[in-house]
Structures are given as structure tokens and as C-alpha cells.
Amino acid sequence: MNQLFRRKTYDANDQSTSLRRVLGIWDIVFFGLAAIIGAGSFSSLGEAIFRGGPGVLSLYIICGFACAFTALSYAEFASRIPKAGSAYTYAYASFGELIAWIIGWALIMEYSFGNIYVAFSWSDYFTSFLERLGVHVPDYLSTSYPEARKAYEGASENKDLINAWNTAPMLGNLRVILDVPALMINALITALVYIGIKESKNINNLLVLLKLAVIALIIFVGIGYINTENWTPISAEGEPSFMPNGFSGVMAAVSGVFFAYIGFDALSVLSEETKNPQKNLPRGMIIALALSTLVYMALTLILTGMVDYRKFDGVGDPLAFIFAPENANMPWMEFAVAVTAIIAITSVLLVFQMGQPRIWYAMSRDGLLPKKFATIDPKYKTPSFATVITGVAVGLPILFTDKSFILDFTSIGTIFAFVLVNGGILLMPRKEKLTGRFHLPYVNAKYSFPVLFLGGLFGFYYWQPEFFHHLMDWHDPNEGEFRLSVFLFIVINLVLVVLAFLKNLNLLPLLGLSSCLYLLTGMTHDNWFWFGIWFAIGLIIYFFYGMRNSKLEQDLNGDLN
């Protein structure tokens, strides 16, 4: 049992690496903006607004709050461990090998599956842009097979998907339906990431500047078209409400909202390519997160103020949609947003595709994956084999998955990783404060966390007494799962209240842990089921390969011999 939880020690002064250290603090900020402001705003934001209404703004605040404290935990780890690997490396130092493997496996899911969704979104915007230029891509070459089949069998009103199924050429008994643009952009981004970090950095910085300029234009133009009545639509009870679908409706949007933040983790995998990582990486992460949250809050207010939230059902290009003929009717803005979306989503693909190989690189270096994954290209100084495998891992599922499944699957893995990062910091001993390095402030949670949690709980009860009166009714078809999740959340936090009092825990990571646990209450049993299947596969690989080939295991056997 001790073997499963053995920890790896890292020297905070060891900055040796086979990779190139070329990234400064503003490069980190721009990579963060590239990863966080992308598919979340240009695609999944529409679905989030439809589920939660204008009240989804509060969910962005909650997510921003959770990520702010999580950013401090990431920053503290980054200042202690200037190595590639993100939450995987941090878990290895705090929880031990088995948990590190679980986190590494979750990150593989996060980056690979996240990039599949982003590639689909890029394809949607790219084909729409070509249509505006008079170039038509056949429907059966711009969507996935499962999506077309689901639309056909469910008699969907999406004419493009139905047409893809009906017009697709036959190969024997199989319809030839595949998303060629998604496959194409995945191949191009993989090639760019293979070439090198410096080239990726320069292209990314340019893409981010263009993206931010157009987002600022959207906000500036959109203000003039806001109808404040759209912020309080009529609910099912016939009353004007900021949350027309209730608070459970807002929480149902958690996958779409949190998907925007999954790129935040990608920054920490760049430790070995960052100059002075103990200083630049923490600062860059925090600045990027703060700016991104403000942008999302502003965009949410603009979209829900310009258009009734119910119109966003099935809308995959919400920022262009608000300027469509049936809404603001501004073709030039619709065109500008479509072009910017392609740029924005390309930058997200770039950052995600950089993150995945470096996770495999770190796990391979520790012996948990075959040595081939740690191969460094002698010319470009990038994880060559891992980069190519990442391209394949993203490209193949594009052929047989659909967007809705991928969105939920990716978000739950990311939140789970954030939970363990915050928990990991609570297990780490306090370090000496050193000049030039980030240092996580210590705030004693002995009394503050119990007061904050119990006070917040009573405040929520006062605000939503009906919800608590039915908290134990888990059989309700609409809110039963959410109530069960909230009940478990309360129980876990009561345990944390006791631990905070007895162990004098640090309040900051404790707030991050509690906030991320709350975000998990928005996940359904289907999310947890597929999440469990993924982890079962990962554990099989660990016990049959990783545990036996672990570098810590090899070093131990060497000492015994």
C-alpha cells in the first residue's frame, strides 16, 4: 500500500530541462488568454445562456471565484516545482504516485477531449465563414457521423445534419460522414506545435491581440442594443426573474461555463519552457485568469441584454448570432465575429495541443508511460513522439464522437483536477519565503472557514428556503440529482469545517477546494458514469505497466540490490 502513495521529491532550485526556456510573464498571460477566451465564449457560451438564462452570470462569478483560489494553489506549486506536468507533477509531490497517475490520466482526458470539442467548434465557424464567401462545403464533410445519425433518428430540426445523413455517399452499407475541417486544423496545429515553442508563442501572441480587439468591439457596439428587460425574462411561474430556470437551471450550465476555464491548467505545463518559472508563471496565471473572468462577465451581460436567452437554444456561434438579421441585423459585425472566432479557436487549439504532449512527457520521464513519450526532437527541442500521438489521439475520435458528450466529459475531469490541486496544497508543509518567488499567504482557517461556510449555508437557506425543504427528495425527475449532489457537498464541507478547526488549515486553498467541489454538483450521473469508465481504464494501465516501471520503483529496487 505504501508503494501506491510514495511521493516524489523535487528540488525547487533544479531548473535543468531538455526544453527551451523562452517564455516571459506576458507570454504566459497571452497563452492564458488564448486558452481561456476561446471556445468558451465563441461556442459553449450560447448553450450556457440557454440553460441558465441571464443568471448564468452568477455562475461565471462562482467559477471565477473558484479558479482564483485554485490559481493561487497552482502558483504555489509552480513556485515549488519548476517542472513540466501541471497538476500531475503537483499531485506526485503531495498525494503520491497513485493519485498522480489518476490526475495525469484526467489531464489526458481534459486536453485530448477538450481539443476534440474545440476542433468541432472551429469547423462550425470555418464552414460558416466559407458560406459567406460563397464556398460551400458538403454537409457530410463538415460534421461527425454520430451527430448526423443522432439528428436523423431524433427527427432533429437541424436541416444541415439531416441533409448530411441523406446526401452522404455510401461505402458499402456505411455512410461516409466526417468532419474534414476539424481533421485538417488538428493536423496543422500538431505540425506547428512540433516545430517549436518559440514559433508557437509568436503566432499565439498575434492571434490573441486580434481576438481581444474584436471582443472589445463587440462589447462597445453591443451596449447600444441592450434591452434591460431581457435581463429579467418571465419565468415558468409567470414572474420576471434573473434566473428564469431557477438556481438548478443555472447550475445545469456548469459544463458550458467551466469549459471556458479548462485552458487555465495548460499554463502550468509550460514550467520548463518559462524563464524564471517561480516568478513569471504564477504571476502570468493570475493575471490571465482575472482578465478572462472580466471578459466573460461583460460578454454574458451583452448577449443576455441584446437577445432573449431562449433564442440561444442550439446556437453554436453566439457572438455572431447576436448580430444576425433576426437580431441586431449588422452583417459587417457578424462577418467580423466569424473571422475572429476562427482566430480565437485556433489559439485555443494551439495551447491545448501544447499541453497534452508535456503531460505525457512528464509521466514518461517518471516511468509511468513508455520511454518513447519522453523523446525530444534534437532540432526543435519539443516532445516529438508525444506531440504526434496527441495529434492522433485528437484526430481519431473526431470521426466517432459528438460535441455534447465531449463538453460534459471534459469539464468534469478539469474540475476534479482542480479539487486535487487545492487539496494537495493543504498537505504540503509551509515553505520559507524567498525573494523573487511567489509565496502563498497563510490565513488561518480555524475560525474563518467555519464562519464563512456555515454563514453562507444559512444565508442560502434564507434566500432559497424551498430548496432546502425538499433537499432530501432525491427522486424528483428534474432536481433530484442536483439535490443529492448538494447534500453530499454539505456533508464533505462539514468534514472540512472540522479539519480546519483541528488542523489550522490555510483558508485560501480551502476556499478553492470548497468552490470546486460545489461546481461538481452540476454534473449528472451520466457524467460520473463515463468519468468512472475512463478512470477504470487508467487504473488497469497503471497496475499492469506504470506501477512496475515507475522510476521510484526502479530506484528502490536498485538500492535494495
Side-chain angles (χ1 to χ4, degrees):
M1 183 62 69
N2 290 336
Q3 178 182 356
L4 300 178
F5 298 100
R6 56 195 172 192
R7 301 179 185 181
K8 183 176 180 180
T9 56
Y10 295 89
D11 183 356
N13 297 312
D14 179 16
Q15 296 194 22
S16 60
T17 179
S18 300
L19 306 175
R20 288 176 177 167
R21 291 195 182 276
V22 298
L23 303 178
I25 184 171
W26 286 105
D27 296 316
I28 296 298
V29 171
F30 273 64
F31 272 121
L33 295 176
I36 301 171
I37 303 175
S41 57
F42 287 92
S43 184
S44 62
L45 179 57
E47 181 66 19
I49 288 174
F50 173 70
R51 292 184 182 184
V56 81
L57 174 69
S58 62
L59 192 51
Y60 275 107
I61 296 174
I62 293 172
C63 286
F65 181 82
C67 288
F69 290 108
T70 303
L72 294 174
S73 295
Y74 266 97
E76 175 66 10
F77 267 127
S79 70
R80 292 172 180 251
I81 308 172
K83 292 292 183 182
S86 179
Y88 157 76
T89 300
Y90 305 156
Y92 217 152
S94 54
F95 289 105
E97 187 170 282
L98 178 61
I99 303 300
W101 168 268
I102 290 174
I103 279 293
W105 193 244
L107 292 174
I108 290 173
M109 176 186 73
E110 172 189 336
Y111 290 121
S112 297
F113 282 75
N115 242 6
I116 294 167
Y117 181 87
V118 178
F120 280 137
S121 298
W122 188 93
S123 175
D124 288 342
Y125 272 100
F126 182 69
T127 52
S128 296
F129 174 69
L130 291 181
E131 288 287 346
R132 291 184 176 92
L133 297 180
V135 179
H136 176 68
V137 178
D139 292 327
Y140 58 83
L141 294 180
S142 57
T143 191
S144 67
Y145 183 91
E147 208 160 3
R149 185 178 65 180
K150 183 190 296 185
Y152 176 78
E153 293 176 349
S156 170
E157 294 183 8
N158 190 316
K159 296 179 181 178
D160 293 336
L161 293 177
I162 298 297
N163 187 57
W165 184 266
N166 291 331
T167 61
M170 302 294 294
L171 186 63
N173 294 324
L174 181 66
R175 284 177 167 79
V176 179
I177 303 175
L178 67 160
D179 200 325
V180 173
L183 294 168
M184 176 185 69
I185 191 60
N186 174 60
L188 290 174
I189 292 295
T190 301
L192 176 59
V193 172
Y194 188 102
I195 290 173
I197 186 70
K198 186 175 181 180
E199 293 75 12
S200 300
K201 176 194 76 171
N202 294 336
I203 291 177
N204 176 74
N205 290 350
L206 175 62
L207 295 179
V208 170
L209 286 172
L210 291 171
K211 173 170 60 177
L212 292 178
V214 174
I215 286 178
L217 181 62
I218 291 171
I219 295 172
F220 178 77
V221 173
I223 288 174
Y225 289 84
I226 287 177
N227 178 0
T228 55
E229 292 183 0
N230 285 331
W231 286 334
T232 53
I234 303 301
S235 67
E237 289 75 28
E239 297 291 332
S241 174
F242 187 60
M243 299 180 183
N245 297 323
F247 198 74
S248 61
V250 172
M251 287 307 299
V254 68
S255 291
V257 169
F258 201 81
F259 183 79
Y261 289 99
I262 69 172
F264 166 61
D265 176 89
L267 300 181
S268 59
V269 306
L270 302 175
S271 291
E272 293 187 38
E273 287 149 299
T274 302
K275 293 178 287 186
N276 193 4
Q278 286 100 337
K279 178 181 179 181
N280 290 337
L281 194 61
R283 291 183 179 180
M285 294 167 73
I286 294 169
I287 293 172
L289 177 67
L291 292 176
S292 299
T293 300
L294 291 174
V295 167
Y296 274 115
M297 291 172 64
L299 286 176
T300 302
L301 285 172
I302 293 295
L303 267 65
T304 55
M306 288 181 64
V307 179
D308 187 298
Y309 82 97
R310 284 165 287 219
K311 292 185 178 181
F312 286 95
D313 184 16
V315 173
D317 52 350
L319 298 189
F321 175 70
I322 59 177
F323 298 106
E326 65 270 29
N327 297 313
N329 191 21
M330 300 179 68
W332 67 275
M333 276 298 296
E334 190 179 9
F335 181 82
V337 172
V339 174
T340 307
I342 296 172
I343 294 171
I345 297 175
T346 300
S347 66
V348 179
L349 283 163
L350 179 62
V351 178
F352 281 15
Q353 211 82 330
M354 287 172 57
Q356 176 65 85
R358 285 150 182 82
I359 298 294
W360 274 334
Y361 169 76
M363 296 177 74
S364 174
R365 193 167 53 182
D366 292 333
L368 302 184
L369 287 175
K371 293 180 179 179
K372 189 70 174 175
F373 284 91
T375 302
I376 299 295
D377 186 275
K379 178 180 178 181
Y380 299 116
K381 301 298 181 182
T382 55
S384 52
F385 180 77
T387 299
V388 173
I389 294 300
T390 296
V392 174
V394 173
L396 287 180
I398 286 175
L399 300 173
F400 53 83
T401 52
D402 63 85
K403 289 194 287 287
S404 58
F405 171 76
I406 292 296
L407 182 63
D408 289 341
F409 200 37
T410 305
S411 295
I412 191 173
T414 305
I415 301 174
F416 187 74
F418 284 11
V419 165
L420 289 186
V421 168
N422 284 299
I425 283 294
L426 293 172
L427 296 178
M428 299 293 284
R430 273 184 266 174
K431 74 176 191 298
E432 179 185 357
K433 189 172 183 179
L434 299 174
T435 304
R437 293 187 184 179
F438 176 84
H439 181 78
L440 180 68
Y442 172 74
V443 180
N444 195 333
K446 184 180 184 71
Y447 299 110
S448 54
F449 184 73
V451 169
L452 286 171
F453 176 73
L454 295 176
L457 190 62
F458 284 116
F460 192 79
Y461 176 84
Y462 179 77
W463 179 41
Q464 296 280 340
E466 279 298 312
F467 178 82
F468 281 90
H469 292 162
H470 299 91
L471 183 61
M472 307 301 288
D473 182 9
W474 301 337
H475 299 290
D476 184 278
N478 296 320
E479 296 193 6
E481 284 188 31
F482 180 58
R483 290 169 183 166
L484 173 60
S485 297
V486 171
F487 174 78
L488 294 175
F489 167 77
I490 293 172
V491 171
I492 293 172
N493 273 270
L494 290 175
V495 173
L496 292 177
V497 163
V498 174
L499 291 175
F501 184 81
L502 296 177
K503 302 290 186 180
N504 295 320
L505 299 177
N506 190 341
L507 178 64
L508 301 182
L510 196 56
L511 288 175
L513 174 61
S514 180
S515 302
C516 290
L517 286 171
Y518 180 72
L519 293 177
L520 287 175
T521 63
M523 299 297 168
T524 68
H525 70 278
D526 285 336
N527 303 147
W528 286 108
F529 173 77
W530 288 108
F531 190 57
I533 293 294
W534 177 260
F535 272 108
I537 295 171
L539 289 175
I540 292 171
I541 295 174
Y542 172 73
F543 285 113
F544 279 90
Y545 181 88
M547 186 171 70
R548 299 177 181 179
N549 294 279
S550 163
K551 195 170 186 301
L552 291 183
E553 175 72 10
Q554 302 303 322
D555 292 344
L556 178 63
N557 291 336
D559 292 339
L560 292 176
N561 293 331

